Amino acid sequence: MNLKRNGALLGALAVGALTLTACGSDDNSGSIDVDASASRATCEGKPNLSAAGSSAQKNAMDEFVAIYIAVCSQKGKTVNVAYNPTGSGDGRTQFIASQIDFAGSDSAIKGDQAEQALTRCAGSPAWNLPLVFGPVALAYNLEGVDNLVLDAQTTAKIFNGSITTWNDPAIAALNEGVDLPDTAVTPIVRSDSSGTTDNFQQYLEVASDGAWTSGTGSDFTGGVGEGAKGSAGVAQAVSGSPGSITYVEKSFADQNGLSMALLDNGSGPVELTEDSAAKAIEGAGFSPSGEGDLTLDLSSIFGTTEEGTYPLVLATYEIVCSAGYDADTAAALKSFLTSAANEGQDGLGEQGYVPLPDTFKERLTESIDAIASE
């Protein structure tokens, strides 16, 4: 599919298209040249969908919605998807309460919440559909240090308070010849429930060789650091705080002009690039689950020692009912997700995400097609 964006749209997407809130998205269809005949989106069903959740996927969702509006406009349909980036935990809560049509979450819905979703979905299970992949940057503000190298163990010690100054011997050993300042390290962490936090802590637990012992989950467990809300919030906090460091999706680090650490997974330092992150995604497997659910087994990514692989990658799921929607909602949801999984992926690299590999697209599309109404 051929996509052309004018400068205004690029600017709007780059700052997160702030007009896309619970009230919906501005109609950007006039700014995108898209070949709707190549899209499988039917543009059928109800015209307006609602969703909330992960702030990590907000910029990707802006892209998906703008492209979907353009596709359906050419097909004579007026559509919109109102996505509110309230955080993964809140998105799952709203989904269970039937307040939105689907949720965005950096962590799969599971356990008690999956049980509660059975009621929301008229007795059918909720499915986790990975639609957006984004590498998580260790973004820092340290004057004079442009290519900081960290590994999982030193990162764990920074975020559990064991390392408190930037010239700590453990950091210095990874950065030979670099003049590290004798200044305090200020970790910036998510204050809200966040799938980014969950994935970050899972990475530390898997890869830090026992240095991370406080557990995982959507709430930060390390016990140190200053809190900020949302991906935009932590990135902005680091931007204004010399000596600070955070974990945040690459797109937000890019927007704030932050330096990003190279990660040594045991096979040498690896720069965060689309290719190094894609290499990690290609090695991901799926957890045993019901047919149609695509919950990922990310332990093989976080613990990889493959050369040239950037291991700190998260997947953002769209949480949907496998069945139980009314016919109009099911049709609209399948149409939008089909567009997002296909032509919607084309511009994601420009937003700091990693487009879905073709094998993922095929499997994801099969699950989207299987979503059923009552």
Side-chain angles (χ1 to χ4, degrees), residues 40-74:
R40 289 185 51 210
T42 64
C43 303
E44 295 176 349
K46 68 179 185 180
N48 297 308
L49 288 168
S50 62
S54 167
S55 61
Q57 73 166 14
K58 181 187 182 300
N59 295 342
M61 190 61 66
D62 292 346
E63 182 96 342
F64 297 155
V65 173
I67 291 172
Y68 185 56
I69 289 172
V71 166
C72 293
S73 178
Q74 289 190 34

Side-chain angles (χ1 to χ4, degrees), residues 242-278:
S244 61
I245 184 171
T246 194
Y247 53 92
V248 70
E249 298 73 22
K250 181 179 183 294
S251 57
F252 290 90
D254 286 336
Q255 288 171 18
N256 287 271
L258 300 176
S259 297
M260 291 174 270
L262 286 71
L263 270 181
D264 189 338
N265 67 4
S267 298
V270 179
E271 181 183 359
L272 197 175
T273 66
E274 184 176 326
D275 288 341
S276 64

Side-chain angles (χ1 to χ4, degrees), residues 257-313:
L258 300 176
S259 297
M260 291 174 270
L262 286 71
L263 270 181
D264 189 338
N265 67 4
S267 298
V270 179
E271 181 183 359
L272 197 175
T273 66
E274 184 176 326
D275 288 341
S276 64
K279 192 172 181 180
I281 292 168
E282 290 171 359
F286 295 97
S287 299
S289 56
E291 185 177 354
D293 180 75
L294 299 180
T295 302
L296 293 161
D297 176 7
L298 293 175
S299 61
S300 59
I301 293 180
F302 297 146
T304 183
T305 58
E306 185 175 356
E307 186 176 354
T309 300
Y310 186 88
L312 185 46
V313 176

